[in-house]
Structures are given as structure tokens and as C-alpha cells.
Amino acid sequence: AQTVTQSQPEMSVQEAETVTLSCTYDTSESDYYLFWYKQPPSRQMILVIRQEAYKQQNATENRFSVNFQKAAKSFSLKISDSQLGDAAMYFCAYRYLTDRGSTLGRLYFGRGTQLTVWP
Amino acid sequence: DTEVTQTPKHLVMGMTNKKSLKCEQHMGHRAMYWYKQKAKKPPELMFVYSYEKLSINESVPSRFSPECPNSSLLNLHLHALQPEDSALYLCASSQDPLSFYGYTFGSGTRLTVV
């Protein structure tokens, strides 16, 4: 099974400031997908950003960007200009590009980072 | 329609009851998933349906029985559950099992077994 590690169980940030959430993963694959999901107290998991491992360029979605370091197997999420609505649990996830038997469709999640945003 | 709809949102059931959770999507997605999530933990995969066929069963106890009647609908039938089965049950879908576009999740069913 793939291992996804989020070493920060909790993080906090002042409104309008920038915060970075870390994620590392273990894989022997050369191509794969990586995701960040956000789960606010309303409990719905929302896709924040995605990255294809074979693309070197870091993905960006508005205030959210990633720092993808393939050799280091690192996939950190940077949130700029933090807003109160960014407060949530953030999960990093890995997905195989091809079927490896019991991997079809599966997302491998990290344990999550709880982000608090202070006004 | 870009949503995955789960019903009911909340369910309380006794250990001898039979109930069903329902999940519906109309995005033309051909892969659907059931996940179980305990508080402050990541979701745990239960079942994967790919093109209406069960492709992954994560050794889930037989008291959970999935069903995919068509490409838009996914059910989870519950019978003789235990209190430790109380959790948030999340349904998700994706274009296909290998889609780069990730999952679209429903808002979940909060299940309490008494």
C-alpha cells in the first residue's frame, strides 16, 4: 500500500497571511496523481488542487499552489491570503496512474492537517 | 449537475435494523466508491464500483452490502450493525477509475448505531 504522510496534525494562520501544509509520500511508480482535499465542518470533501507527476510545473488554483518535488517525494500546499473560510481539515492523497491490481480507483490519504484561521 | 447526492444525511439505527444508504450522480461518471470516515481520521475505502461492477471490496464485513443498480446509483445496505460501525459514510464518483480529475464526493451520511 502507498504511504502518504502529513507530519503536521494541526496548523494555524492569521487571516491574510500565508501557510504551507506539508505532505510526503512513498512510491516506486514514475507516474501518478497527487491531490489536496479540504474537508470543512460541513464534512463534504472538496478537491482543492491536483498534480500529475509527469508534469514538472507546479499546479496553481487561485490562492492555492503546490510545491511538487518529485525526487524528494514531497507535495506541499501553500495557501496565500488565508481566509476564514479556509479553516478545515486538509488531506493529501495519492492515486496510481494505472491499475496495479487492487489499486484501481483508490485514493491513498494522509492522516490530515487541521488548519485554523485566526481573524 | 455536478453533484453527488447522498441520502439520508443522518441515520440512527438499532443493531437489529436493516437500512440502506443511497448515492446518486448524474455526471456520467463510471466509477463510484464508498468510504467510511471516523472523526478526525482520513476516509477508509470500503468498495469500488467500476462500470457497474464491483472491483474492490476491502474485506468489509458482510453486514455491509453494496449494490450498483445502474451507472448513476449506488446503494449500501446495512444489516445487524455494531456500535463501532457508527461513522460518516462518504460516497464519491469519478469519470473512470483512473481519471486525473479525482473524485467528487457527496456530503455523507452520519450513521449512529445504538
Side-chain angles (χ1 to χ4, degrees), chain B residues 21-73:
Chain B
L21 309 185
K22 180 180 173 182
C23 174
E24 199 163 7
Q25 57 88 13
H26 297 287
M27 295 177 281
H29 288 179
R30 302 310 300 273
M32 297 186 77
Y33 313 84
W34 281 114
Y35 278 82
K36 173 183 176 180
Q37 187 179 27
K38 293 281 199 177
K40 299 198 181 298
K41 299 289 187 184
E44 299 172 15
L45 182 65
M46 299 176 73
F47 302 105
V48 176
Y49 272 86
S50 175
Y51 295 87
E52 295 101 71
K53 293 192 188 312
L54 183 65
S55 58
I56 294 180
N57 176 342
E58 280 293 278
S59 301
V60 178
S62 59
R63 57 186 183 269
F64 294 91
S65 175
E67 179 196 20
C68 188
N70 58 58
S71 60
S72 299
L73 188 56

Side-chain angles (χ1 to χ4, degrees), chain A residues 21 23 32-39 45-52 57-68 75-80 90-95 107 109, chain B residues 99-103 105:
Chain A
L21 309 183
C23 173
Y32 43 87
Y33 299 138
L34 295 165
F35 305 89
W36 277 98
Y37 279 89
K38 165 186 176 181
Q39 188 175 36
M45 297 274 281
I46 301 164
L47 178 64
V48 175
I49 200 164
R50 53 184 171 236
Q51 176 82 42
E52 299 163 285
Q57 186 173 3
N58 289 324
T60 299
E61 288 286 342
N62 301 313
R63 298 182 294 106
F64 299 88
S65 61
V66 297
N67 183 4
F68 174 50
F75 183 61
S76 60
L77 175 70
K78 185 171 84 170
I79 306 174
S80 304
Y90 285 80
F91 291 101
C92 178
Y94 171 103
R95 190 179 211 184
L107 280 181
F109 288 96
Chain B
S99 169
F100 166 59
Y101 295 98
Y103 292 177
F105 280 91

